[in-house]
Amino acid sequence: MVWALVRVIKRGITNLCSSEPRVFPKSGWESIDPSYFIEEETIPTYRPEKFYPAHIGEIINHRYQIVGKLGYGSSASNRGHAYITLKIYTASTTLTREIEIYNHQKTIQSNHADSHRTHTCLVHPPLGISLDQLTPLLPGQVMTSAMVRATMRNVLAALDFLHTEAQVIHTDLQPNNMLLGIKDDSILSKFEQAELDAPVARKTLEDRTIYTSRPLPISLGTPVLCDLGEARVGTDQQQGDIMPDVYRAPEVILGMTWDYKVDIWNVGMVVWDLLKRRHLFKARDPDPHALLRSPPGEFLARSEKCSQYWNEDGQWKGAAPLPDYSLESREEKLHGDEKQDFLRFLRRTLC
């Protein structure tokens, strides 16, 4: 997928927020050697014929003009104002999971989707940089505990809506799916002007141009939970692999059915990442048992796979030795009551 910032152009005299198309430079950018892989080309599953060959300045559906590239991904390459974000999916013959989720939510909140031939597009209000992009810009490359608390209050409110009202499990909470809101729309016009003044580097191929993404500046809006591309309708008795390795909940690893509580496990993982700038578990750790102690018997009974790692009393018998550390020993940043409150919250999310 490709994310593009687009301008709403004139479509009838009543559309007061629209504007005339802009004319972008035809030269003046750095040309990248075609032999180098950049952006979406670095995705292991990249196939150029699946990606829509969008170009800056292009007008889509007689309504939207692309003014810059915000980013890219593997599956998909405020309406009242002049700018929106267009998420252009790779070519597919089936309806994507994300649109299924949006269709499911239509009775709860309004969403909009457009199609361009075989490339489905989602139209969203523009948002700022992700928390994954924000944290390296902060002192020590981590958030303060106050920033994490404020952020997670919004994330938990979003999950409360998904779980209790929409009956949806997100399944993919991570810092790059949490974006800052935009209070000052001037950063969008500055983004567009920057492309006019200093076009981004790009590589020109026979059938397409691949642009480098232009980052947005830091915005000060409320964090927003995004990307429902891996979400599931229904909050219990789900099956199948979900979540990146470093965030994967134990019931998923052990092949059990799972429910909305995998999102709560994810909350704990993300909180630790934002405070520490490192993951709580390694991607291939066999077991979080060292930090959480013996799992309860009713949990072990849910999967035959558990018998490979624990005996009937819940004691670890796996081949890999357990590391000698605890949550308390791994938490070195906070002190006193704040540390105890944090660890209590973290244990509840993980248990």
Side-chain angles (χ1 to χ4, degrees), residues 107-181:
T107 58
I108 305 167
Q109 62 181 11
S110 175
N111 293 285
H112 178 83
D114 283 333
S115 285
H116 186 293
R117 298 183 182 274
T118 57
H119 293 266
T120 301
C121 300
L122 294 182
V123 179
H124 293 287
L127 293 169
I129 62 175
S130 69
L131 300 190
D132 196 50
Q133 295 170 308
L134 172 66
T135 48
L137 306 177
L138 300 174
Q141 298 190 337
V142 293
M143 285 187 171
T144 65
S145 57
M147 293 173 67
V148 173
R149 284 195 296 269
T151 296
M152 298 316 295
R153 274 196 293 269
N154 287 284
V155 171
L156 288 168
L159 288 179
D160 181 58
F161 166 78
L162 288 176
H163 294 167
T164 62
E165 296 189 47
Q167 299 292 298
V168 165
I169 312 174
H170 189 283
T171 82
D172 195 19
L173 270 71
Q174 50 182 306
N176 61 359
N177 285 339
M178 301 172 186
L179 275 58
L180 296 179

Side-chain angles (χ1 to χ4, degrees), residues 52-251:
Y52 179 72
H55 64 268
I56 292 175
E58 177 180 0
I59 296 173
I60 293 179
N61 201 28
H62 308 290
R63 185 172 186 178
Y64 307 113
Q65 183 181 30
I66 297 176
V67 300
K69 180 180 179 183
L70 295 170
Y72 64 95
S74 60
S75 62
S77 187
N78 154 2
R79 290 301 301 281
H81 207 295
Y83 296 97
I84 52 93
T85 300
L86 199 64
K87 187 175 183 179
I88 308 174
Y89 279 82
T90 52
S92 175
T93 56
T94 60
L95 192 66
T96 66
R97 186 185 301 276
E98 189 160 15
I99 295 177
E100 291 175 349
I101 297 295
Y102 283 151
N103 286 338
H104 167 72
Q105 291 183 243
K106 276 184 177 179
T107 58
I108 305 167
Q109 62 181 11
S110 175
N111 293 285
H112 178 83
D114 283 333
S115 285
H116 186 293
R117 298 183 182 274
T118 57
H119 293 266
T120 301
C121 300
L122 294 182
V123 179
H124 293 287
L127 293 169
I129 62 175
S130 69
L131 300 190
D132 196 50
Q133 295 170 308
L134 172 66
T135 48
L137 306 177
L138 300 174
Q141 298 190 337
V142 293
M143 285 187 171
T144 65
S145 57
M147 293 173 67
V148 173
R149 284 195 296 269
T151 296
M152 298 316 295
R153 274 196 293 269
N154 287 284
V155 171
L156 288 168
L159 288 179
D160 181 58
F161 166 78
L162 288 176
H163 294 167
T164 62
E165 296 189 47
Q167 299 292 298
V168 165
I169 312 174
H170 189 283
T171 82
D172 195 19
L173 270 71
Q174 50 182 306
N176 61 359
N177 285 339
M178 301 172 186
L179 275 58
L180 296 179
I182 295 177
K183 286 185 176 179
D184 182 2
D185 283 351
S186 67
I187 70 171
L188 303 176
S189 57
K190 290 175 182 177
F191 179 97
E192 178 182 6
Q193 189 60 44
E195 184 59 37
L196 292 165
D197 296 339
V200 294
R202 65 202 65 180
K203 60 184 292 187
T204 304
L205 304 175
E206 184 175 339
D207 62 339
R208 67 190 59 235
T209 298
I210 300 178
Y211 299 85
T212 55
S213 301
R214 182 186 297 278
L216 285 165
I218 295 177
S219 55
L220 301 176
T222 301
V224 178
L225 178 60
C226 301
D227 198 343
L228 295 169
E230 295 299 326
R232 303 292 192 274
V233 176
T235 55
D236 60 7
Q237 296 299 306
Q238 298 283 347
Q239 292 181 306
D241 284 339
I242 53 168
M243 313 163 81
D245 286 349
V246 292
Y247 297 129
R248 191 164 293 163
E251 55 265 50

